[in-house]
Amino acid sequence: MARHSLAPNRRSDTRERILESATILFGTRGFDSVSLDQIAAEVGVAKQSLLYWFASKDDLIQAVLVNMAAELTVVVEAAIRSAPDMPLDRLEAVIHAVFRPAVRRPALLGLLRELSRLPTGAAEHLTEILNPLVTRAGTWLRTEMQAGRLRQGDPSLIIALVYATVAGIATEPEALRVVGWSQDVIGLRKLRNELTSFLRAALAP
Amino acid sequence: MARHSLAPNRRSDTRERILESATILFGTRGFDSVSLDQIAAEVGVAKQSLLYWFASKDDLIQAVLVNMAAELTVVVEAAIRSAPDMPLDRLEAVIHAVFRPAVRRPALLGLLRELSRLPTGAAEHLTEILNPLVTRAGTWLRTEMQAGRLRQGDPSLIIALVYATVAGIATEPEALRVVGWSQDVIGLRKLRNELTSFLRAALAP
DNA sequence: ACGGTTCTCTACCAAATGGTAGACAATCTC
DNA sequence: GAGATTGTCTACCATTTGGTAGAGAACCGT
């Protein structure tokens, strides 16, 4: 009898499949709006299999967040390393790099949007992962400014502005639609290009 | 015996107090994360009094959204009318006008962030309210561009960019904090000023 | 062959949630 | 003053939720 249609493996991929589905669901609909049952149904397992891999919903959320932070870090660091040397070109490359996963998987940045719903202190671990990334970017901007290759300004503010814009664009298509735009008319690619040309105009020395 | 400590009034202000509390709670923590019990407790009434004024949770959400759209419309239209004549100054005035309620009541823009969680079609009514506002702004930008007082560009993209940035800044302080910034270091006012100076640099003819 | 480990499942449970039924008090209308 | 209206409440309910208990199948090392 095929009660266990999925033959148990010593090395099961269930954990990764749960993480993937949970990332998408949490990122698009929010931690509180997604139940463990829904995630389990999406993955195609029973809820209790899910609770075997993650002791509680909070544990699952934590794992999803750490996973997301690591993924973002890899993408951004790779872009910084491989980008062209001129600061404006490099900045554009990084923005493109962040936009690509943000568009393919809006849930990634959507998760950041969810942070404010966590109990206080639950996101402390994320700071350890993401803060160095931001600090590095700030240091780089400052260096370029002092070398006269970028207009003077507060690096922190620039980074915050870029983050807010990317997050706002990538995670709120519905809000944009409601005020009267369809995705086709606006388009994430167009918005990305507009953002980069804005930055070029504002940061050129 | 004071079982009804609040003397019933023919004209009760309970409805408005519910709307106010619901706006704040929904906007900061999300539709699904806030229960009717919590709203009722915040207002200081029983849940059933709440259901007397709004037939269901969906009804309450709908009312909160319409209320928010009307409030935003008033603010923006007033700013457009009273602003100085030079386009860049006027644009800055409008941004300041949107930022003020956005900072005082982050829930206002936070509600827009929540739209993607509504069942399809539930936000149609909002489009009727907000779309004219956006259309008007777009027409105005286009006119100024044709008059040569702003650099050429796609008005829709500019508006979307401004909206995304304001919304991202005003509604995600927690996300900004997690990557390593405190509100004190960054500050919404600084971010607003940075945004307007960016726009000036990018849109000056 | 066999005992332990890994993995998934069915069967429950206590708490919270959105919502209903209806009693009861204050006020208005006549 | 009588009856309808308005507004608030207590009591209750069905469903959903996160989580527990524990059985059983497939695989491992010996």
Side-chain angles (χ1 to χ4, degrees):
Chain A
M1 65 181 74
R3 269 173 77 187
H4 295 89
S5 55
L6 292 175
N9 288 332
R10 173 69 47 166
R11 277 228 161 293
S12 168
D13 64 341
T14 303
R15 201 190 130 93
E16 286 96 62
R17 283 170 39 229
I18 292 173
L19 267 183
E20 174 70 18
S21 292
T23 298
I24 294 173
L25 288 173
F26 282 149
T28 50
R29 286 162 46 200
F31 295 140
D32 288 335
S33 311
V34 178
S35 67
L36 295 183
D37 284 295
Q38 289 167 4
I39 298 174
E42 181 75 21
V43 177
V45 299
K47 177 175 63 174
Q48 284 63 23
S49 301
L50 194 153
L51 284 166
Y52 170 79
W53 293 103
F54 303 92
S56 69
K57 187 176 184 179
D58 282 346
D59 266 33
L60 175 57
I61 290 174
Q62 194 72 13
V64 164
L65 287 174
V66 169
N67 209 40
M68 174 272 296
E71 191 166 330
L72 275 186
T73 301
V74 168
V75 167
V76 171
E77 298 226 329
I80 290 179
R81 265 196 304 276
S82 72
D85 197 51
M86 287 304 292
L88 285 175
D89 297 332
R90 183 175 287 203
L91 191 60
E92 181 166 340
V94 171
I95 289 176
H96 278 227
V98 174
F99 246 84
R100 197 174 308 124
V103 170
R104 189 174 55 86
R105 296 177 54 191
L108 264 191
L109 291 180
L111 285 175
L112 288 176
R113 197 178 63 178
E114 283 292 307
L115 293 180
S116 53
R117 297 193 187 135
L118 295 177
T120 313
E124 292 309 315
H125 195 53
L126 278 189
T127 304
E128 299 172 23
I129 302 178
L130 292 178
N131 195 4
L133 199 60
V134 172
T135 304
R136 245 186 86 185
T139 306
W140 172 68
L141 282 177
R142 203 182 318 273
T143 306
E144 295 291 337
M145 286 174 183
Q146 282 166 355
R149 309 211 293 175
L150 286 180
R151 188 181 299 180
Q152 293 293 323
D154 183 334
S156 294
L157 290 175
I158 293 171
I159 297 173
L161 210 61
V162 170
Y163 164 71
T165 311
V166 173
I169 291 173
T171 65
E172 306 194 48
E174 188 67 14
L176 292 174
R177 199 188 62 73
V178 163
V179 296
W181 295 307
S182 63
Q183 282 268 11
D184 326 329
V185 176
I186 288 276
L188 291 171
R189 190 170 313 180
K190 283 188 193 168
L191 274 170
R192 184 200 62 195
N193 293 337
E194 190 78 5
L195 171 62
T196 52
S197 79
F198 265 52
L199 282 176
R200 284 184 178 276
L203 289 180
Chain B
M1 63 181 73
R3 269 174 78 190
H4 296 86
S5 54
L6 293 174
N9 290 331
R10 172 67 51 166
R11 278 230 162 290
S12 168
D13 64 342
T14 302
R15 202 190 128 93
E16 286 96 63
R17 282 170 39 230
I18 292 172
L19 266 183
E20 175 69 17
S21 292
T23 298
I24 294 173
L25 287 173
F26 281 150
T28 51
R29 285 162 46 201
F31 295 140
D32 288 335
S33 311
V34 177
S35 69
L36 295 184
D37 284 295
Q38 289 168 5
I39 298 174
E42 180 76 21
V43 177
V45 298
K47 176 174 63 173
Q48 284 63 24
S49 301
L50 193 153
L51 285 166
Y52 171 78
W53 292 103
F54 303 92
S56 67
K57 188 176 184 180
D58 282 346
D59 267 34
L60 176 57
I61 290 174
Q62 194 72 13
V64 164
L65 287 175
V66 169
N67 209 40
M68 173 272 296
E71 191 166 331
L72 273 186
T73 301
V74 168
V75 167
V76 172
E77 299 224 329
I80 290 179
R81 267 197 304 277
S82 72
D85 197 50
M86 287 305 292
L88 284 175
D89 298 331
R90 183 175 288 202
L91 191 60
E92 181 166 339
V94 171
I95 289 176
H96 278 228
V98 175
F99 246 84
R100 197 172 309 125
V103 170
R104 190 174 55 85
R105 298 176 54 190
L108 264 191
L109 290 180
L111 285 174
L112 288 176
R113 197 177 63 175
E114 282 293 304
L115 293 179
S116 53
R117 301 199 181 130
L118 295 175
T120 314
E124 292 309 315
H125 195 52
L126 278 190
T127 304
E128 298 173 24
I129 303 178
L130 292 177
N131 195 4
L133 198 61
V134 172
T135 305
R136 247 186 84 184
T139 308
W140 172 69
L141 281 178
R142 203 182 320 273
T143 307
E144 295 291 339
M145 284 173 184
Q146 282 166 356
R149 308 211 294 175
L150 287 180
R151 188 181 300 181
Q152 294 293 322
D154 184 334
S156 295
L157 290 176
I158 293 171
I159 297 173
L161 211 59
V162 170
Y163 163 72
T165 311
V166 173
I169 291 172
T171 65
E172 306 194 50
E174 188 67 15
L176 292 174
R177 200 187 61 72
V178 164
V179 295
W181 294 308
S182 62
Q183 282 269 11
D184 327 328
V185 175
I186 288 277
L188 291 170
R189 189 171 314 183
K190 281 187 194 169
L191 274 169
R192 183 200 62 195
N193 293 337
E194 190 78 5
L195 171 62
T196 52
S197 78
F198 264 52
L199 282 175
R200 285 185 176 277
L203 289 179

